[in-house]
Amino acid sequence: MTQPISQTQIYLSKRLRVTVPAGRGGAAPALVATAVKNLQALGFGLKAPLLERLKSQSDTEVIEWYNSVLPVLQEMVGAHRQFNPMYPNFPSQVMAASEAELFFNAMTHYFGFHLSDALGDPSLVVLPKYEKEDRPPLEESLEIRWIDLGDEEDFDSIFTSLAASNGSLSEPDKEVLRWFATNRDVQPLLPPQIPQKETLAVLVASMDEKECLIGQVKTATDVLRVAVAMSGGDVSLAQSTKFRCFSKRERRFLLACLEQAGGSCTEDMLRWKDRWVRLGERLHPGDFKHRFPRSLASFDTLRNDLPYRTYNSRVEQSIIDGDTKNTVSLLIQRPGEFTRRLDHLLRTGSESSRVLQSFFEVADRVSTPVLLQAWGHFRGRNSIRYRAFFPKGNAAKVQLAETSLPPISTETVQSATDGIRQVLVQRFSSLPALGKCFIDERLKEQIVPFSQRSASRALKTVARGSSFALPEGDTVRFFCWWKNIDSSEECDSRVDIDLSASLFDNKWEHSADIAYYNLRAGECYHSGDITSAPNGACEFIDISLQWVLSRNARYVVMSVLCFTGQPFTSTPECFGGWMMRQGPNSGEVFEPRAVIDKVDLTAPSRACVPVIIDAVERRVYWADVGHKSRSQINNAARNSVGFSQIGKSIVELNKPTLYELFAMHVDARGEHVTTPEEANTVFGVNDGAITAFDGDKILSGFMT
């Protein structure tokens, strides 16, 4: 059962800060030093302002503070669980074991899980018993994550930034919004506009005083999202929702929102006709026919299949007729739709100059995310090899198209690219001045986080396709931890999670797997296949980058798969991650301070790819993508084609980067400088006024 989040958890995960009130002193220096030392073992350090504030506390206050942050930080890196792999002296034990020993242990273990399934007792699964040997201490140079002192105003700004984000939010971020709506008076914290309709729906559903947001619910689809959110459904509308019964007050609220929607209300409702018909059965608009007559008329059109010619049908017919003039005259009425159809018009019509001219007359009315994605599309339109699509919904999926688009002249593509950028720069010029700005070149590898709705909770969350240089060392260590389903909740309670690594060459041809069926491949090792976790279980994989290169492989795809078939959403807890190890046999097998990233696996899928390693360029790509495994035997070998498709999609993703976005802002309202020391505003990867991990700040302050 998921524990409710707390203020401490929110502030640490979003800003890596804590609030500590000023005290009267008295804390023993040794006590403060002990707290600092213990947190360093998890990979966290305390900045000077926080350290000084702790020194002003009493012993009791320091202990209370330490006990409040410790479980949060442990969970952030995965140290809140015990890691007991099948081979406790991994990896040396797997290196030295004979094939007969590995085979005998595996067969004994598999016999145990068959017996446990037959008798319905997961505890009967047998694991080999080995004495854990002493290991040399970990003496590697590791990056420290610094925790700073914050305050209540800064903490409350998290809500404002999330609410003002011009992009879909992840479920963890929506959970933060719900926490604020439940525990704070959020009306004073609301931004002037809530641009993202999914966010608006979540807020309306979470707030008791919903009426303060009625003016921002502007279309029938907005109303539908609100009703879905109030029913606990998917606000992206990718999946249908079973609407709950609404109170009379809630019915009046939803119908009032619908009544004041724009003139295209009926057309919007026709886009989701079946869902509106089912929602109408809950709203009973006839009960309020005199108060909300327009809404009742729209429901009558849907229920009785009355004739209604939609805007989209007129546009489609105009395109079929080849009437560019009429098509453009229709599309300028809806600039966002014009943007989405611009490429199609430019490649199918003969009046590209006229189309572009008409588009730029209304482009300033298009939202920033749509314009920025259009700019990214045209910027690389004639050179990209693959096009990746991330379908809308709560499940992180990707589709890859390798076919090229019909040609458009280089001049037309360049005109579209330059013109869209000019519109964006002009828009950004109205925002507050930034002064002298330094932009870290490494932000060229960071993708703009347009849509995070399916992003998992992670120690470090960035947009899919973003990449980072690997730290020093030759060994990448993957890990995962999971627990069985409570047998009282489900008869099929045993959960068998498999950690795997698939190797691919430069052309994404499959080379090898390190998995439960192949514990050793050259200098890569698996810690042993555990098939049941009544008290929690874990698996590790060590990847030698030098050995990967020696067999002419390049990419390493980390995957976590559920062999017993349950989706990750069914498990009480499942997470994975990776660390970089210079001495694989030093330190503990799981060293919290060596963890580079940790991700909670909660997707409605039974296969997930958290990260991809490029051994040639020594880079790690953030994937966090689920895979719909169709094979009854769900392992890496059966999914190698799907993993190669995911790999191509992520590694060659053609999306606008944070460097490009920030450069537009600096062109519009700042001055470029070459060093951070001479800058008023620093855009960095890990440090600066805005970093690659400040997703809510980017979406609220730089995507407006």
Side-chain angles (χ1 to χ4, degrees):
M1 191 73 177
T2 303
Q3 296 296 318
I5 59 174
S6 64
Q7 177 172 336
T8 300
Q9 183 180 353
I10 294 170
Y11 209 10
L12 281 170
S13 63
K14 298 299 294 181
R15 296 285 188 267
L16 210 55
R17 295 175 188 167
V18 291
T19 56
V20 181
R24 297 182 179 180
L31 178 65
V32 176
T34 300
V36 171
K37 186 71 174 177
N38 290 347
L39 296 184
Q40 285 179 348
L42 298 175
F44 295 94
L46 306 186
K47 288 189 175 181
L50 176 56
L51 193 57
E52 291 302 314
R53 179 62 59 87
L54 284 177
K55 291 178 181 178
S56 77
Q57 304 288 293
S58 67
D59 283 356
T60 301
E61 289 170 329
V62 171
I63 293 171
E64 289 178 352
W65 176 82
Y66 175 78
N67 288 335
S68 70
V69 302
L70 180 64
V72 175
L73 296 177
Q74 287 176 327
E75 186 173 356
M76 287 173 66
V77 296
H80 63 306
R81 299 304 182 202
Q82 291 292 320
F83 284 79
N84 298 308
M86 176 179 283
Y87 294 99
N89 302 306
F90 176 81
S92 61
Q93 189 175 8
V94 179
M95 296 179 191
S98 66
E99 291 292 338
E101 181 180 4
L102 295 177
F103 179 79
F104 176 80
N105 287 339
M107 291 302 102
T108 303
H109 180 63
Y110 295 157
F111 174 79
F113 90 67
H114 283 298
L115 185 63
S116 73
D117 284 355
L119 298 178
D121 184 358
S123 65
L124 294 176
V125 174
V126 180
L127 288 171
K129 297 188 182 300
Y130 291 101
E131 195 72 29
K132 184 179 177 181
E133 300 172 356
D134 292 335
R135 301 168 69 95
L138 185 71
E139 296 181 351
E140 301 175 7
S141 177
L142 300 170
E143 179 184 351
I144 293 290
R145 300 179 179 89
W146 294 99
I147 304 173
D148 205 353
L149 180 66
D151 54 50
E152 291 293 331
E153 183 179 355
D154 180 59
F155 173 71
D156 288 343
S157 72
I158 294 173
F159 173 84
T160 305
S161 292
L162 289 174
S165 295
N166 205 357
S168 60
L169 301 179
S170 66
E171 186 54 41
D173 282 344
K174 292 173 187 173
E175 191 178 357
V176 171
L177 288 179
R178 297 186 189 103
W179 183 92
F180 273 96
T182 303
N183 296 277
R184 287 282 201 275
D185 177 12
V186 296
Q187 288 197 41
L189 305 178
L190 288 169
Q193 294 293 326
I194 301 173
Q196 229 297 324
K197 300 304 184 181
E198 295 179 23
T199 303
L200 175 62
V202 171
L203 280 174
V204 173
S206 304
M207 293 175 60
D208 290 332
E209 300 300 323
K210 308 179 189 301
E211 285 71 20
C212 69
L213 293 174
I214 193 171
Q216 300 205 43
V217 183
K218 297 179 179 178
T219 69
T221 304
D222 292 350
V223 181
L224 180 61
R225 291 188 199 278
V226 170
V228 167
M230 293 170 69
S231 301
D234 177 10
V235 292
S236 75
L237 304 183
Q239 297 179 348
S240 296
T241 296
K242 182 178 181 180
F243 296 105
R244 67 172 174 84
C245 292
F246 300 104
S247 67
K248 192 171 184 179
R249 178 190 174 190
E250 291 171 333
R251 289 161 54 205
R252 282 199 306 266
F253 172 79
L254 291 169
L255 288 169
C257 291
L258 188 61
E259 190 73 11
Q260 55 102 48
S264 60
C265 175
T266 304
E267 181 173 344
D268 275 357
M269 293 171 71
L270 284 167
R271 291 175 56 206
W272 308 97
K273 179 182 175 182
D274 292 341
R275 302 188 194 190
W276 272 109
V277 170
R278 287 188 286 106
L279 179 56
E281 294 170 354
R282 297 295 191 185
L283 296 181
H284 306 295
D287 293 352
F288 308 94
K289 59 183 177 182
H290 298 299
R291 189 169 181 178
F292 307 120
R294 293 180 64 251
S295 300
L296 180 61
S298 295
F299 275 109
D300 284 342
T301 299
L302 268 64
R303 283 196 300 255
N304 300 315
D305 292 321
L306 300 180
Y308 192 97
R309 192 179 184 197
T310 66
Y311 167 86
N312 283 333
S313 67
R314 287 181 286 153
V315 172
E316 292 293 343
Q317 189 58 52
S318 183
I319 292 175
I320 292 171
D321 294 341
D323 190 345
T324 303
K325 180 179 179 180
N326 186 52
T327 302
V328 169
S329 67
L330 287 169
L331 289 175
I332 59 176
Q333 300 172 32
R334 299 188 182 181
E337 187 67 22
F338 200 164
T339 309
R340 296 180 180 92
R341 292 179 180 265
L342 184 58
D343 189 290
H344 182 78
L345 289 178
L346 292 175
R347 70 177 184 254
T348 57
S350 58
E351 305 175 60
S352 57
S353 297
R354 178 179 176 178
V355 169
L356 279 177
Q357 180 182 352
S358 299
F359 170 71
F360 288 124
E361 289 174 359
V362 297
D364 61 335
R365 291 159 49 196
V366 181
S367 71
T368 297
V370 172
L371 268 184
L372 190 60
Q373 291 186 78
W375 174 80
H377 166 77
F378 283 106
R379 174 206 56 182
R381 185 194 188 279
N382 289 347
S383 59
I384 59 174
R385 292 193 297 166
Y386 306 105
R387 291 184 295 142
F389 306 93
F390 294 89
K392 183 182 290 188
N394 294 328
K397 297 176 290 185
V398 64
Q399 297 176 359
L400 185 71
E402 300 189 32
T403 55
S404 59
L405 291 168
I408 297 178
S409 70
T410 302
E411 294 78 10
T412 299
V413 170
Q414 194 62 49
S415 295
T417 305
D418 294 343
I420 294 173
R421 191 182 193 280
Q422 184 177 350
V423 172
L424 287 166
V425 170
Q426 180 63 35
R427 174 175 298 174
F428 298 153
S429 65
S430 63
L431 298 174
L434 293 169
K436 295 180 179 179
C437 301
F438 171 78
I439 310 177
D440 194 322
E441 290 280 329
R442 292 176 296 173
L443 291 173
K444 291 180 179 178
E445 307 297 334
Q446 306 301 309
I447 305 297
V448 175
F450 289 106
S451 174
Q452 294 291 87
R453 71 169 59 87
S454 58
S456 303
R457 178 183 281 109
L459 179 58
K460 292 181 176 180
T461 300
V462 291
R464 294 181 179 94
S466 298
S467 69
F468 302 88
L470 286 173
E472 291 183 6
D474 178 60
T475 301
V476 178
R477 178 167 294 172
F478 300 138
F479 65 86
C480 74
W481 189 98
W482 77 98
K483 194 174 187 296
N484 283 352
I485 299 169
D486 187 345
S487 58
S488 64
E489 298 177 6
E490 194 170 323
C491 59
D492 188 13
S493 61
R494 184 175 65 84
V495 179
D496 179 5
I497 298 292
D498 290 321
L499 178 66
S500 303
S502 302
L503 274 55
F504 297 88
D505 65 14
N506 194 55
K507 296 181 180 179
W508 286 101
E509 295 293 330
H510 185 239
S511 175
D513 292 323
I514 299 89
Y516 70 86
Y517 48 85
N518 189 31
L519 299 188
R520 292 189 298 217
E523 296 175 22
C524 300
Y525 307 97
H526 190 292
S527 67
D529 179 29
I530 300 178
T531 61
S532 184
N535 300 308
C538 63
E539 293 182 6
F540 294 88
I541 290 177
D542 272 11
I543 300 293
S544 167
L545 298 180
Q546 287 299 319
W547 183 82
V548 170
L549 295 173
S550 72
R551 63 176 285 132
N552 296 319
R554 175 171 182 174
Y555 299 108
V556 183
V557 176
M558 172 189 177
S559 62
V560 184
L561 308 100
C562 185
F563 191 88
T564 42
Q566 303 96 334
F568 295 118
T569 48
S570 297
T571 61
E573 186 175 9
C574 181
F575 61 85
W578 68 285
M579 56 186 82
M580 202 76 193
R581 303 296 292 267
Q582 298 179 45
N585 287 299
S586 66
E588 295 298 322
V589 179
F590 179 81
E591 279 283 355
R593 58 194 172 118
V595 172
I596 305 296
D597 212 346
K598 172 248 183 186
V599 56
D600 292 340
L601 302 175
T602 57
S605 63
R606 59 190 189 113
C608 177
V609 175
V611 294
I612 299 166
I613 305 293
D614 182 343
V616 172
E617 298 293 334
R618 287 190 61 87
R619 301 197 68 81
V620 55
Y621 287 83
W622 183 246
D624 186 23
V625 174
H627 178 57
K628 187 176 182 180
S629 177
R630 293 179 173 84
S631 175
Q632 185 175 0
I633 300 177
N634 187 30
N635 60 26
R638 297 292 182 96
N639 290 285
S640 61
V641 174
F643 290 163
S644 70
Q645 296 289 302
I646 290 174
K648 289 178 188 176
S649 303
I650 295 298
V651 172
E652 303 194 33
L653 194 62
N654 178 49
K655 297 288 184 182
T657 67
L658 289 180
Y659 186 96
E660 293 166 330
L661 173 63
F662 294 147
M664 292 182 191
H665 278 273
V666 178
D667 288 349
R669 53 190 180 116
E671 175 188 346
H672 291 271
V673 295
T674 56
T675 63
E677 290 74 21
E678 56 186 321
N680 305 111
T681 305
V682 174
F683 299 97
V685 175
N686 295 297
D687 300 301
I690 299 293
T691 74
F693 307 105
D694 293 329
D696 55 326
K697 292 182 179 180
I698 294 167
L699 289 173
S700 62
F702 295 86
M703 296 284 282
T704 54

